[in-house]
Each structure stands twice: as C-alpha cells, then as structure tokens.
Amino acid sequence: MHFGVDEAGKGPVLGPMVAACVVAPTDALPGGVDDSKRLSPGRRESLDAALRDHPAVTVGVARIPVARIDDPGTDMNSLTVAAHAEAVRDAGLDRCRACPGVLDAGDVDAERFGRRVVSSLGGGVDLRAEHRADAAYPHVAAASVVAKVERDAAVARLAATHGEVGSGYPSDPTTRTFLREYVREHGTLPECARASWKTCEDVLAAAEQSSLDAF
C-alpha cells in the first residue's frame, strides 16, 4: 500500500486549484496510468472512473477556491502545501500514516515542500516530495489524473454558466477574450477569475484605458 499526491490548476487565471491523493496497493492501479498531461481527456476520465470504482483504492480531493487564492495573506506555494495536506486528510490521514507516500513537489526546493506538508499534517507521515514525480511514480500519476479530471469538471461548470471560457490559462486566447468581454459588459471581473493574477490586472487596466479614450 502506497499513496501519491499531485495538484492541477496552479497556474490558471480562472477557477480553483485541485489536489488529489490516491491510496492503493500498486496492483490495484489501472493499467496505463500516467502523468495526466500525457493522456487524452477521454483516457483521463476512464482512468479516474476506474480508480474511484476499485474497492481497494481510496481517493481524496481538495479544492482551493478563487477567494482563497486571492487572499493577500497567503501565496501559491503555501496554498499548494495546504492543498496536498488537505487531499491526504480527505483520503484518510490514519490510512496514509500506515504507508509511504510521494508528492509531486510544488516548490523549487522539493525537500522543503515535503517537510511543509508533513508539518501541516501534524507529523507521523512517511512521505517525500520529488519534482516530476507524476512521471516516475504510478500513485502520483494516478493522483494527477484525478486532480486534472476534477479541475476540468470545474472549468466545464464555468463554461456552462458563462459560455466558452477556454482552458482558464493566461496564455489561452479564448480565456483572455472571455475576460475582456465580461469586463466590457459588466464593468468588473467574474467571480471565477483570480483577481490577483496579472492577467486580470491587465484586463481591468485595458478596460479603464478604453473608457478614458472613449471619454
């Protein structure tokens, strides 16, 4: 029995960050589990369903909402630590204390990231953090799949409410267009936008300049 933890949605300008923890015997993981970025959406969804349906697999999920991300009293490194710890708790902290785990490090200093997660859990957890762990450890890859599916579902809900919003990443032209049009129509950012992100600051500044030019 081992566990792995990973997150999705650390960098987007829209929607939550999601972390997942998968606890399982290695032979209970579905075949073909891999870093979620290497898999098609359909494959991720089928693997997510297989993980959740297997009686020997436990899945924990943590969601960090936009309001928490925009809180000036925190930062993304601390929130990523919190997300990993909350996902472990959701999977069952006692269960995770009984087996070793690996985290996909969310900090340039992987050892520091691991120490901070252990501290957040109150100690007593055998885990380590490594960069690119989702490509090297099947339990972390499984967690990356669950986190990505959860994150994609959150973006799909936004699209159902607002229309096409793109992937939510700042580099996505569709996402930037959505933000510009929303601000133009409503005069403010949508609640799903991370207002503290530079992308949002740029959109608001451009809208203000456009209003000044029109005046």
Side-chain angles (χ1 to χ4, degrees):
M1 187 78 77
H2 295 79
F3 71 92
V5 189
D6 198 4
E7 87 284 331
K10 188 175 181 180
V13 67
L14 299 181
M17 175 170 66
V18 180
C21 175
V22 171
V23 191
T26 301
D27 61 6
L29 297 177
V33 70
D34 198 355
D35 173 4
S36 62
K37 294 184 288 296
R38 299 178 179 175
L39 302 170
S40 68
R43 182 59 177 152
R44 288 194 297 263
E45 290 173 7
S46 65
L47 288 169
D48 176 76
L51 288 162
R52 292 178 181 276
D53 290 344
H54 198 295
V57 177
T58 300
V59 171
V61 174
R63 300 167 187 83
I64 307 297
V66 167
R68 195 169 166 190
I69 292 170
D70 281 338
D71 184 344
T74 191
D75 58 80
M76 285 307 296
N77 279 351
S78 296
L79 288 172
T80 306
V81 168
H84 280 234
E86 290 168 21
V88 170
R89 289 194 189 95
D90 193 58
L93 183 53
D94 289 343
R95 187 173 174 84
C96 291
R97 289 192 196 281
C99 59
V102 181
L103 317 175
D104 191 44
D107 187 343
V108 294
D109 186 331
E111 291 186 4
R112 176 176 63 193
F113 184 80
R115 289 195 303 269
R116 291 184 70 190
V117 174
V118 170
S119 178
S120 294
L121 293 169
V125 184
D126 176 12
L127 63 80
R128 67 183 184 279
E130 295 185 15
H131 295 124
R132 299 288 298 137
D134 51 358
Y137 298 92
H139 289 78
V140 183
S144 79
V145 168
V146 174
K148 178 62 173 167
V149 169
E150 285 280 339
R151 161 72 193 173
D152 285 350
V155 174
R157 289 191 292 272
L158 294 180
T161 300
H162 298 289
E164 185 58 64
V165 299
S167 65
Y169 279 87
S171 60
D172 187 336
T174 302
T175 296
R176 297 180 74 92
T177 297
F178 160 67
L179 286 171
R180 285 195 301 270
E181 291 301 311
Y182 190 96
V183 170
R184 182 184 61 78
E185 181 177 351
H186 300 279
T188 187
L189 292 165
E191 290 185 358
C192 60
R194 301 178 186 181
S196 55
W197 255 228
K198 187 176 185 302
T199 304
C200 287
E201 295 174 358
D202 291 346
V203 167
L204 290 173
E208 182 177 1
Q209 184 61 50
S210 179
S211 295
L212 289 172
D213 291 345
F215 180 79

